Amino acid sequence: MQTKELLMDSPVIRTKTTTPAAGCPEGIPHRECQKVIMPVRDALDVINGKWKLPIIIAISRGFKRFREIERNIPKITSKVLSKELKDLETHKLLKRTVFDSQPVTVEYTLTPYAATLNPVIDALHNWGLQHRKTMLGK
């Protein structure tokens, strides 16, 4: 694609060739494509992997303590759960509360910000059901 560019320091108009970004339709500049891609990448960076959404769902269903969450998510290890809980806390999706009791009790609760993921989770749930029907023919 060719565009004309006016050089700031001179009255010369120079023609330069720009190519669309890989994966962008012909005629769409890379900058425009990035406006769509970057927010999606940012969102996926927060909820990436196979564990974060199940953790959020488990906590939303009332499982607040570490072992409760771990028991309700098959095949997750303690180490992975611990890492993912820290990531979710960093992204302000959950709050970790330590209670001064014997023994010390730690509970995880979703923040109001986490509720903004509900439409995303619902959409993924519905799409997953549809995809299973398509793939399994049921």
Side-chain angles (χ1 to χ4, degrees), residues 55 57-66 68-69 72 108:
I55 291 168
I57 292 166
I59 294 170
S60 74
R61 301 288 190 269
F63 302 106
K64 297 184 186 304
R65 295 186 182 170
F66 187 91
E68 292 175 334
I69 298 166
N72 283 278
Y108 298 91

Side-chain angles (χ1 to χ4, degrees), residues 56-103:
I56 290 169
I57 292 166
I59 294 170
S60 74
R61 301 288 190 269
F63 302 106
K64 297 184 186 304
R65 295 186 182 170
F66 187 91
R67 293 289 175 223
E68 292 175 334
I69 298 166
E70 186 178 32
R71 279 192 292 270
N72 283 278
I73 302 174
K75 299 185 181 179
I76 194 167
T77 65
S78 296
K79 181 179 177 181
V80 169
L81 178 57
S82 179
K83 178 199 168 298
E84 299 290 27
L85 287 167
K86 285 177 187 172
D87 285 351
L88 290 168
E89 187 177 12
T90 299
H91 289 287
K92 301 181 184 205
L93 294 171
L94 62 85
K95 181 181 177 194
R96 180 180 185 264
T97 306
V98 180
F99 294 96
D100 190 20
S101 59
Q102 282 296 354

Side-chain angles (χ1 to χ4, degrees), residues 10-127:
S10 79
V12 176
I13 295 177
R14 176 175 65 177
T15 302
K16 76 176 187 179
T17 303
T18 59
T19 56
C24 287
E26 182 66 36
I28 306 231
H30 178 70
R31 182 174 32 253
E32 292 301 315
C33 210
Q34 287 297 91
K35 285 181 183 177
V36 174
I37 293 170
M38 289 309 294
V40 172
R41 284 188 57 195
D42 291 345
L44 290 175
D45 284 345
V46 174
I47 59 171
N48 69 339
K50 66 181 189 178
W51 300 117
K52 286 195 177 81
L53 288 177
I55 291 168
I56 290 169
I57 292 166
I59 294 170
S60 74
R61 301 288 190 269
F63 302 106
K64 297 184 186 304
R65 295 186 182 170
F66 187 91
R67 293 289 175 223
E68 292 175 334
I69 298 166
E70 186 178 32
R71 279 192 292 270
N72 283 278
I73 302 174
K75 299 185 181 179
I76 194 167
T77 65
S78 296
K79 181 179 177 181
V80 169
L81 178 57
S82 179
K83 178 199 168 298
E84 299 290 27
L85 287 167
K86 285 177 187 172
D87 285 351
L88 290 168
E89 187 177 12
T90 299
H91 289 287
K92 301 181 184 205
L93 294 171
L94 62 85
K95 181 181 177 194
R96 180 180 185 264
T97 306
V98 180
F99 294 96
D100 190 20
S101 59
Q102 282 296 354
V104 173
T105 305
V106 178
E107 286 189 354
Y108 298 91
T109 54
L110 297 178
T111 64
Y113 182 53
T116 63
L117 282 172
N118 288 342
V120 174
I121 293 169
D122 290 343
L124 285 170
H125 172 80
N126 292 333
W127 187 87

